[in-house]
Each structure stands twice: as C-alpha cells, then as structure tokens.
C-alpha cells in the first residue's frame, strides 16, 4: 500500500491539548501547532516568515496520554496525514457557503530538538 498523504511538521504547541469525548464514547485530543520558517536576508541576518497555525488531532490512546501532559510552547515533531472537513457558513445576507477546515491527523507525536539556526 502506498502512502500518498503524509505530512511532517516541527513546531511549538500553540495551546495545551483539549480532550474531547464524542457521544459514542470515542476520545481524541485536539491542539494547535505553530510553525515558522526562517531565511537569511541580503545582510546575512536571519528573518522569520509568517507563522502558520495547524490544527492537530490525535486519536491513539497512547499519544493522547502523552499530549495531555505537554504544555503550551512545547516543541514537537508531528507526522500524520491531511484531513479536510467541510462545514457551512452563513453570510450576513443569509447566503450559505461551504468551506473546508484542514487538520493534521497525527500518527506520531514526538519531542523535537530545539531549533538551531546555522551561521
């Protein structure tokens, strides 16, 4: 089986995990992850690009126990797959639009080493 939907992100937890229990007694964790890329400018100074925010969902009971203990700001490496969930938005004039929310379904959550900018 080929895996064609795989993403790896390294960033900092933007929020502590929320533990959510569904009506049919399934439990999952949700939190945000912030990533920021950097580059050297013409003066060889490091510049950060815009911070991107990602929605992370965790369904594995072992990983839920891990993320429950982690604090906002913890540096993580997340490996998983993209998931698109449609939802409807009603405009001020009553028109209904369908939008998609993107989340990362985590298969792996690990502590990541601190970022190091090479000279």
């Amino acid at each position: 089986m080929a895996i064609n939907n795989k993403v790896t992100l390294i960033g900092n937890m933007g929020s502590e995990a929320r533990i959510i229990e569904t009506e049919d007694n399934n439990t999952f964790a949700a939190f945000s992850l912030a990533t920021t890329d950097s580059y050297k400018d013409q003066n060889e100074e490091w510049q950060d690009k815009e911070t991107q925010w990602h929605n992370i969902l965790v369904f594995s009971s072992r990983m839920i126990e891990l993320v429950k203990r982690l604090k906002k700001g913890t540096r993580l490496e997340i490996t998983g797959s993209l998931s698109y969930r449609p939802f409807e938005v009603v405009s001020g004039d009553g028109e209904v639009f369908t939008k998609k929310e993107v989340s990362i379904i985590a298969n792996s959550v690990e502590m990541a080493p601190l970022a190091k900018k090479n000279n």
Side-chain angles (χ1 to χ4, degrees):
M1 178 173 120
I3 298 174
N4 297 315
N5 180 2
K6 182 177 179 181
V7 64
T8 300
L9 296 171
I10 298 175
N12 297 319
M13 287 182 78
S15 63
E16 293 180 7
R18 293 178 291 120
I19 307 305
I20 300 162
E21 189 167 321
T22 64
E23 292 175 3
D24 51 352
N25 291 327
N26 291 320
T27 302
F28 66 96
F31 62 94
S32 62
L33 189 78
T35 59
T36 306
D37 287 332
S38 302
Y39 65 95
K40 278 190 179 181
D41 64 15
Q42 295 171 343
N43 299 321
E44 297 295 312
E45 303 276 333
W46 282 103
Q47 301 295 324
D48 287 338
K49 293 182 179 179
E50 180 181 352
T51 298
Q52 300 294 317
W53 292 92
H54 311 276
N55 298 316
I56 310 296
L57 300 176
V58 177
F59 292 96
S60 160
S61 57
R62 182 184 59 80
M63 285 191 295
I64 291 171
E65 290 304 313
L66 167 69
V67 299
K68 278 173 36 175
R69 297 189 304 268
L70 300 176
K71 301 293 181 196
K72 177 180 176 179
T74 302
R75 189 162 172 80
L76 296 175
E77 180 173 334
I78 307 288
T79 302
S81 58
L82 292 172
S83 175
Y84 297 89
R85 182 185 65 83
F87 65 98
E88 292 184 345
V89 176
V90 180
S91 69
D93 61 2
E95 193 171 353
V96 177
F97 296 95
T98 300
K99 293 189 173 190
K100 289 186 179 180
E101 178 180 76
V102 181
S103 298
I104 309 300
I105 307 299
N107 297 326
S108 171
V109 176
E110 299 179 12
M111 303 291 284
L114 293 176
K116 194 165 60 170
K117 294 180 180 175
N118 297 325
N119 291 333

